[in-house]
Amino acid sequence: MQLPVVYQKAKEQVFKIWTTLQPLLTVHVGLASSAKALIILEQCGKNKVYQEMDACGLHPEGGCCMLDGPEKIESTINMKTLWKNISVEGIDIIFSRDAGRYICDYTYYTSLYYGNGRAAFIHVPPLSKSVTAEFLGKALQAIILEMLKQCREESN
């Protein structure tokens, strides 16, 4: 599902995902246009300081995702462990605790909030000659399979 670059609409879509589909885990993928050949595994979402305008020229009320929400929410997926255990030939993978303060981080925090931490966010580079859609798809598949292993281990 492609989410719009609009805070309120993205929040509504994420809420709908969690309430209607009730997934075990939701994995969000966002574009990091500055990362040329880099996949970034994001550990947590932040609630405040969303001042940048979205595609409709708006920003969230109070600059927050959730007015009553905690400052940050950590994913139940241990991204640092995932980062240490995964290797994809031809692309670097890094671990991050700051997904930025725009739609990506906003969406991630919202999903972590509604999903009680059962969400993940991966920043990917733009497609290029070295990072093709097929290559990126295979890399994301390997990463998501590792995430699902963690989910299974956690539930056992």
Side-chain angles (χ1 to χ4, degrees):
M1 173 185 303
Q2 184 173 344
L3 299 178
V5 184
V6 178
Y7 292 109
Q8 190 58 39
K9 288 182 180 174
K11 182 189 256 185
E12 289 166 6
Q13 290 282 18
V14 169
F15 178 76
K16 193 186 230 179
I17 289 167
W18 283 106
T19 56
T20 59
L21 300 176
Q22 301 176 349
L24 169 68
L25 175 71
T26 299
V27 180
H28 302 276
V29 179
L31 181 66
S33 54
S34 61
K36 295 300 176 223
L38 190 65
I39 292 175
I40 306 166
L41 305 174
E42 305 290 353
Q43 183 62 61
C44 58
K46 310 263 183 5
N47 190 23
K48 297 181 179 169
V49 197
Y50 291 91
Q51 301 303 323
E52 194 170 337
M53 302 294 185
D54 64 18
C56 291
L58 302 171
H59 57 79
E61 180 186 349
C64 289
C65 297
M66 302 288 175
L67 292 173
D68 63 340
E71 185 65 33
K72 71 176 180 177
I73 304 175
E74 301 271 338
S75 175
T76 57
I77 299 295
N78 187 323
M79 296 294 197
K80 190 172 250 184
T81 298
L82 183 68
W83 166 65
K84 289 177 181 175
N85 292 341
I86 194 103
S87 172
V88 176
E89 192 173 328
I91 196 160
D92 289 329
I93 300 174
I94 65 169
F95 166 80
S96 169
R97 297 188 62 77
D98 189 355
R101 290 298 189 292
Y102 194 47
I103 302 296
C104 290
D105 199 11
Y106 184 87
T107 299
Y108 190 25
Y109 180 93
T110 302
S111 194
L112 289 164
Y113 182 88
Y114 289 130
N116 297 311
R118 295 184 339 265
F121 197 99
I122 305 167
H123 267 118
V124 297
L127 297 179
S128 65
K129 286 183 180 176
S130 62
V131 182
T132 64
E134 182 180 2
F135 174 81
L136 197 53
K138 286 180 180 175
L140 287 171
Q141 182 180 27
I143 291 167
I144 293 167
L145 286 171
E146 284 298 313
M147 288 179 181
L148 291 172
K149 275 187 201 171
Q150 276 193 30
C151 289
R152 279 193 297 274
E153 290 165 5
E154 189 179 285
S155 65
N156 285 342

